[in-house]
Amino acid sequence: MLFDTNNITINELKDPLFTLKKVKLMVLRLDKIHPIVSGNKLFKLHYFLEQAIKIPNKSIVTFGGAYSNHLVATAYACKRLQLQCKGIVRGERPPVLSHTLKACLQYGMELEFVTRELYSSMSQKSESDNEKIIIPEGGYHPIGAKGASLIMDFLQLEKVSHICTAVGTATTLAGLILKANNDQRIIAVPVLKGFFDIPERLEYLTGKIDFPNLTILNEYHFGGYAKKSNDLLFLMNQLYEKFELPTDFVYTGKMMFGIWDQIKKDFFPEGSIIACIHTGGLQGNDSLPAGSLIF
Ligand SMILES: *Cc1c(COP(=O)(O)O)cnc(C)c1O
């Protein structure tokens, strides 16, 4: 990896429920890489950045909305690697910039605001020339998936039977699938409602057509992207109280809710060793009303 990954830990959570169901639950703490930058984003960027740093004066161009974890991760990575970068932002420039976009500027990213129409026509592109490397929105590209597959290296020492992740573009999921063994099951928790094209996305991202070890849990989106409920916030507070595990309400809280619920419902056979990927995203909680969370 181009970044320091020494802080990453894998922690087992101990709870009477898991003893009762005879399963083990671990969390791979990619959120510990950086307080603002989502752990999985740096992995997805890895091979794009590796290409960029080999060529003098190459710059990075990428895309995102005003709250994009991907934009801020790219800005951070480019600053660390001394690469020029530009973020194309969806929609008109607002009078007050979001904290995410402010962070992008602080890391030295140039921002260009484009209309939604123009944005949708350009944001899925990835083409590189002598001057710039264009990374599609969210790193949604086979190169992004290959980078995400490096996450699996942090699970090699554990005999993990199930690997769980929240899903946005499915690029991280594709990375896990690329390196999973035949006897490992990958559990996907989409955070968007009506997200039915995951197999097609995975085909593009991995080059495979068949995903026998994949289970998609479609019932934990809580009404859609960045939607939430009191039950979700309650579980997040419990996770913190019991295990000092902070989660975010957009991605990792929903994943943990889904996995916890499925353990209760006996989805996981006795003896399962379940690893949940904590992809980060904690700064997203800043948009919750004060006092919603105990951390
Ligand atoms: C972006 C993000 C995801 C989703 O990753 P995809 O590769 O787009 O599916 C999950 N968790 C966090 C915290 C994220 O920021």
Side-chain angles (χ1 to χ4, degrees):
M1 274 291 282
L2 295 165
F3 301 95
D4 187 2
T5 52
N6 284 329
N7 287 341
I8 296 176
T9 57
I10 180 155
N11 304 93
E12 186 181 346
L13 311 186
K14 300 242 182 196
D15 191 88
L17 173 68
F18 310 150
T19 315
L20 177 71
K21 302 292 185 181
K22 299 195 170 62
V23 300
K24 269 194 184 190
L25 183 65
M26 329 241 239
V27 180
L28 181 67
R29 298 288 304 271
L30 303 184
D31 60 305
K32 290 191 175 177
I33 299 176
H34 191 275
I36 294 177
V37 177
S38 291
N40 66 328
K41 299 296 186 281
L42 293 176
F43 284 92
K44 290 196 279 184
L45 289 169
H46 179 83
Y47 288 105
F48 289 108
L49 296 169
E50 209 179 62
Q51 244 180 310
I53 54 180
K54 281 191 200 137
I55 298 147
N57 302 322
K58 215 160 209 175
S59 71
I60 300 269
V61 178
T62 195
F63 308 87
Y67 297 94
S68 164
N69 284 336
H70 165 73
L71 266 191
V72 74
T74 307
Y76 166 82
C78 289
K79 180 172 172 76
R80 287 288 301 273
L81 301 172
Q82 297 179 308
L83 289 165
Q84 297 238 26
C85 70
K86 180 152 119 181
I88 312 271
V89 187
R90 184 179 57 229
E92 316 238 302
R93 187 187 188 95
V96 180
L97 293 184
S98 65
H99 60 271
T100 311
L101 294 180
K102 280 184 187 152
C104 290
L105 288 176
Q106 268 159 20
Y107 288 132
M109 179 179 255
E110 181 196 338
L111 296 180
E112 183 182 329
F113 293 81
V114 301
T115 61
R116 278 159 200 279
E117 296 72 42
L118 193 54
Y119 183 90
S120 55
S121 73
M122 63 201 297
S123 60
Q124 306 299 326
K125 276 195 198 135
S126 163
E127 49 193 54
S128 302
D129 57 30
N130 290 332
E131 281 136 43
K132 54 187 185 303
I133 289 185
I134 301 181
I135 306 177
E137 181 183 50
Y140 178 66
H141 188 278
I143 295 174
K146 191 177 164 207
S149 77
L150 298 172
I151 294 171
M152 292 292 279
D153 297 348
F154 294 85
L155 292 173
Q156 292 310 334
L157 293 178
E158 325 288 333
K159 294 223 168 306
V160 173
S161 58
H162 296 75
I163 301 160
C164 317
T165 188
V167 178
T169 63
T171 311
T172 304
L173 174 64
L176 302 178
I177 288 174
L178 280 173
K179 275 219 193 141
N181 298 329
N182 288 338
D183 58 353
Q184 288 178 316
R185 183 144 287 279
I186 309 289
I187 314 288
V189 182
V191 302
L192 296 103
K193 192 177 171 180
F195 192 178
F196 300 125
D197 66 342
I198 290 179
E200 288 80 356
R201 286 172 171 259
L202 292 176
E203 235 183 278
Y204 162 66
L205 291 164
T206 65
K208 300 179 186 220
I209 45 166
D210 198 23
F211 307 100
N213 348 359
L214 173 66
T215 298
I216 301 174
L217 302 175
N218 254 318
E219 59 272 39
Y220 300 105
H221 54 70
F222 290 84
Y225 186 74
K227 297 267 175 30
K228 59 184 187 300
S229 76
N230 287 337
D231 285 351
L232 176 62
L233 298 179
F234 181 78
L235 178 82
M236 289 168 62
N237 280 331
Q238 264 197 327
L239 291 173
Y240 191 76
E241 206 167 80
K242 286 188 183 170
F243 313 114
E244 291 179 43
L245 180 70
T247 48
D248 78 295
F249 78 99
V250 181
Y251 293 103
T252 54
K254 291 182 181 177
M255 167 190 64
M256 292 303 293
F257 192 102
I259 300 309
W260 197 282
D261 193 43
Q262 291 296 325
I263 292 174
K264 277 194 205 155
K265 292 176 175 162
D266 297 317
F267 170 84
F268 297 97
E270 282 184 10
S272 294
I273 302 180
I274 308 159
C276 290
I277 314 288
H278 194 316
T279 38
L282 296 172
Q283 123 259 327
N285 290 339
D286 290 351
S287 62
L288 291 171
S292 307
L293 295 172
I294 57 171
F295 56 91

